[in-house]
């Protein structure tokens, strides 16, 4: 009886993990569409945007997740032929190489392309995570020297301004960032 419960738990885990991977694929598709629409129409970006450089590489590797779902489900609900696993490994290696090459190409080409459309890269507003999006601003002055201390608050404020269809002046942005910095210093010093 216990072995049957263990097997049922493994099957439920395989289904749960499959659903998570399908969600990851959906996010990769959404982020890739967002990136491509951004690259086509920079004028729709009012004063800043986040550029997800890993979106296309994640989309390229999405078939690996589909194959992994297939392998997990076949392993838990039926027989997994050895040649299917070997094919999955070969395809995965090719997809990883292509995704790596695309990420390098985007990292080289995209900054110049975006800068040519009037935006400046602001690393001070970025999350230090390797999967974080790059932040680009229309005015270089939006990239305050100490904004890295309050980058989350600044980006949330930027999002609020964009939703309200406002285009803050350099003075407004500087004042807001300095307010966030003063609040930060008051909290942590």
């Amino acid at each position: 009886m216990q072995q049957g419960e263990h097997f049922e738990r493994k099957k439920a885990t395989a289904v749960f993990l499959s659903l998570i991977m399908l969600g990851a694929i959906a996010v990769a598709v959404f982020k890739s569409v967002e990136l491509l629409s951004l690259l086509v129409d920079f004028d729709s970006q009012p004063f800043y945007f986040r550029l997800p450089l890993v979106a296309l590489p994640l989309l390229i590797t999405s078939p690996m997740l589909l194959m992994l779902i297939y392998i997990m489900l076949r392993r838990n609900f039926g027989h997994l032929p050895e040649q299917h696993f070997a094919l999955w490994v070969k395809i995965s290696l090719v997809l990883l190489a292509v995704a790596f090459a695309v990420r390098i190409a985007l990292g080289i080409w995209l900054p110049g392309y975006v800068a040519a459309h009037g935006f400046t890269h602001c690393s001070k507003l970025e999350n230090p995570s390797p999967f974080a999006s790059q932040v680009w601003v229309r005015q270089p002055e939006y990239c305050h020297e100490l904004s890295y201390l309050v980058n989350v608050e600044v980006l949330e404020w930027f999002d609020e301004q964009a939703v309200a269809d406002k285009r803050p002046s350099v003075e407004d942005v500087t004042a807001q960032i300095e307010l966030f910095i003063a609040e930060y210093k008051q909290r942590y010093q």
Side-chain angles (χ1 to χ4, degrees):
M1 184 69 170
Q2 244 182 14
Q3 188 174 7
E5 287 176 14
H6 178 68
F7 182 68
E8 290 302 317
R9 201 170 25 247
K10 282 179 64 176
K11 286 179 14 178
T13 302
V15 170
F16 178 71
L17 290 174
S18 298
L19 292 174
I20 288 175
M21 286 186 254
L22 286 173
I25 292 169
V27 168
V29 169
F30 174 76
K31 287 293 189 184
S32 296
V33 168
E34 185 179 62
L35 172 65
L36 294 174
S37 65
L38 173 72
L39 294 177
V40 170
D41 187 17
F42 280 106
D43 294 332
S44 69
Q45 302 306 314
F47 62 95
Y48 103 103
F49 64 88
R50 300 175 197 191
L51 188 65
L53 289 178
V54 297
L56 288 177
L58 286 176
L59 184 64
I60 291 168
T61 58
S62 291
M64 288 173 45
L65 292 177
L66 289 174
M67 289 183 280
L68 192 57
I69 290 169
Y70 168 78
I71 287 170
M72 279 191 327
L73 294 178
R74 283 296 297 254
R75 183 169 178 225
N76 288 296
F77 291 99
H79 175 68
L80 175 65
E82 185 67 30
Q83 65 268 21
H84 290 193
F85 185 75
L87 178 63
W88 176 76
V89 170
K90 290 175 186 172
I91 291 173
S92 294
L93 290 174
V94 170
L95 289 173
L96 285 173
V98 170
F100 187 67
V102 166
R103 174 57 183 92
I104 290 172
L106 284 175
I108 293 170
W109 169 75
L110 212 47
Y113 181 75
V114 174
H117 284 84
F119 286 89
T120 303
H121 181 232
C122 183
S123 62
K124 292 173 183 65
L125 289 174
E126 293 173 3
N127 186 331
S129 165
F131 296 107
S133 299
Q134 288 184 346
V135 175
W136 290 79
V137 293
R138 202 171 283 280
Q139 299 288 334
E141 295 83 11
Y142 286 1
C143 196
H144 191 278
E145 191 63 34
L146 296 176
S147 59
Y148 68 91
L149 294 171
V150 290
N151 63 347
V152 172
E153 292 88 349
V154 173
L155 291 176
E156 286 175 357
W157 186 76
F158 277 3
D159 288 339
E160 291 170 10
Q161 301 305 303
V163 167
D165 203 24
K166 293 181 181 176
R167 211 175 201 165
S169 68
V170 172
E171 294 79 21
D172 292 339
V173 172
T174 302
Q176 190 65 44
I177 291 173
E178 288 176 358
L179 175 67
F180 287 141
I181 291 169
E183 291 171 354
Y184 171 84
K185 287 180 178 179
Q186 188 176 28
R187 260 190 318 239
Y188 297 108
Q189 292 180 350

